[in-house]
Amino acid sequence: MTRNDLCWCGSGKKYKKCHMDFDERIRSMKFDIYRGQVRPPHSIIKNAADIEGIRKSGVVNDGALDLMGEMVQPGIDTATLDKAAHDYIIDHGGIPACLNFEGFPKSVCISINDVVCHGIPSKKTILKEGDIVNVDITTILDGYYADASRMYIVGGRTTPEAARLVEVAKECMNLGIEAARPWHFLGDIGAACDAHARANGCSVVTQLGGHGVGKDFHEEPFVPHVGEVDTGMLLVPGMVLTVEPMINAGKYKVTVDKKDGWTVRTKDGSLSAQWEKTILITETGTEVLSS
């Protein structure tokens, strides 16, 4: 690519005015293959239009999560929550990404107590006071995805142990986001999440993780929430990904329901909690695009 060619990112700008300095900086770096350090492919770097599209999708996604916060209460069934989130997304011009994704039958994932993720909403599943609940929503708007999840304590009160787990999970996510610095490495995120979980007597699920976000549900890179500093893919401005550590009160191992093929539970029956945000790596840090 020459200086005056249109940039590979699709911005419509000349290469010299867009990503030429970016590419030169990456080319000048030395990567340690023994630590798994790799360059990010151009295909996952978003231009300004892409970022704005994800940001707008995030507004709808956050609105649906806000609605869930208003509705989560003792006695409500999770199918009612699912329909409300579905209708909100449709009414705001979006598409619920989970619905029929690889056969998933509902529009959102609702995971209660020992369910780690991918809980299927049902009329038979009634929330009780003291339950801890994760609602995970992904929205498509004008072809762009936004993905986030939040924890809710049903009735506002639960056991001290459950309340602390919810808080630790949020702290792990926030520390992971703080570690997602431009020109550092993906392993920094997992190292931060895992260290905090361990310090609080919890464990991090290793079989599942975060992912890139853009015009597909799950893009590169896979984002592990355990790891070592200075390992993995280089984080650079224009990357969009989720940070979503799943934190268990007990051991990290999980099982998948054999009947529905989706519901992931802790193997030892312990409680699990998760928060998730979609973030953009910027020149100076991160920007949250959906929370």
Side-chain angles (χ1 to χ4, degrees):
M1 175 168 284
T2 67
R3 293 168 54 86
N4 290 314
D5 287 338
L6 292 179
C7 187
W8 49 259
C9 76
S11 65
K13 297 179 182 179
K14 289 185 177 180
Y15 182 48
K16 65 184 179 182
K17 296 285 188 180
C18 197
H19 275 95
M20 189 174 78
D21 290 345
F22 171 95
D23 281 344
E24 289 179 353
R25 179 168 182 175
I26 293 178
R27 280 194 291 267
S28 72
M29 297 179 67
K30 293 182 179 180
F31 289 81
D32 186 344
I33 60 172
Y34 296 103
R35 296 186 65 78
Q37 293 179 350
V38 295
R39 296 171 174 82
H42 282 170
S43 60
I44 68 171
I45 309 302
K46 313 306 183 200
N47 61 37
D50 295 329
I51 293 165
E52 183 60 20
I54 299 167
R55 185 182 288 116
K56 288 179 178 178
S57 185
V59 171
V60 177
N61 206 63
D62 292 355
L65 284 166
D66 290 343
L67 177 61
M68 296 295 96
E70 296 171 7
M71 294 182 65
V72 167
Q73 58 185 327
I76 196 168
D77 66 84
T78 56
T80 296
L81 295 175
D82 176 77
K83 185 178 187 307
H86 175 101
D87 291 347
Y88 181 94
I89 293 168
I90 296 295
D91 290 347
H92 288 79
I95 299 169
C98 289
L99 185 60
N100 297 321
F101 175 75
E102 296 184 352
F104 190 79
K106 296 293 182 177
S107 296
V108 303
C109 299
I110 302 179
S111 305
I112 306 168
N113 296 332
D114 67 327
V115 176
V116 177
C117 62
H118 304 161
I120 300 174
S122 169
K123 277 286 184 185
K124 296 180 180 179
T125 304
I126 312 296
L127 298 185
K128 305 184 301 296
E129 184 169 351
D131 285 341
I132 59 171
V133 182
N134 176 270
V135 181
D136 190 346
I137 302 180
T138 305
T139 295
I140 311 167
L141 183 70
D142 299 327
Y144 289 100
Y145 288 70
D147 187 2
S149 78
R150 298 178 192 169
M151 292 296 300
Y152 305 95
I153 296 175
V154 180
R157 295 188 303 173
T158 187
T159 65
E161 294 77 14
R164 182 58 186 149
L165 177 65
V166 170
E167 191 62 27
V168 168
K170 190 172 188 178
E171 291 166 354
C172 286
M173 177 193 67
N174 287 335
L175 288 167
I177 292 171
E178 288 177 15
R181 294 174 292 169
W183 310 107
H184 290 257
F185 290 90
L186 191 62
D188 297 12
I189 297 173
C193 294
D194 189 40
H196 190 67
R198 288 175 180 271
N200 284 275
C202 300
S203 64
V204 181
V205 173
T206 58
Q207 291 176 240
L208 301 138
H211 52 85
V213 177
K215 291 184 177 180
D216 203 352
F217 205 143
H218 300 126
E219 298 184 350
E220 288 188 77
F222 174 75
V223 182
H225 295 108
V226 298
E228 296 181 18
V229 172
D230 293 334
T231 63
M233 186 178 287
L234 180 69
L235 298 172
V236 297
M239 289 175 66
V240 178
L241 48 86
T242 66
V243 177
E244 49 176 308
M246 302 167 198
I247 309 300
N248 294 348
K251 303 296 184 180
Y252 71 92
K253 291 185 178 180
V254 299
T255 61
V256 180
D257 190 290
K258 292 181 180 179
K259 290 183 179 180
D260 66 38
W262 281 102
T263 305
V264 179
R265 293 184 175 86
T266 57
K267 189 172 183 179
D268 60 9
S270 62
L271 295 175
S272 186
Q274 178 196 22
W275 298 78
E276 173 186 12
K277 293 185 180 183
T278 295
I279 64 168
L280 164 70
I281 307 296
T282 69
E283 295 286 349
T284 57
T286 59
E287 176 189 346
V288 174
L289 301 182
S290 184
S291 61

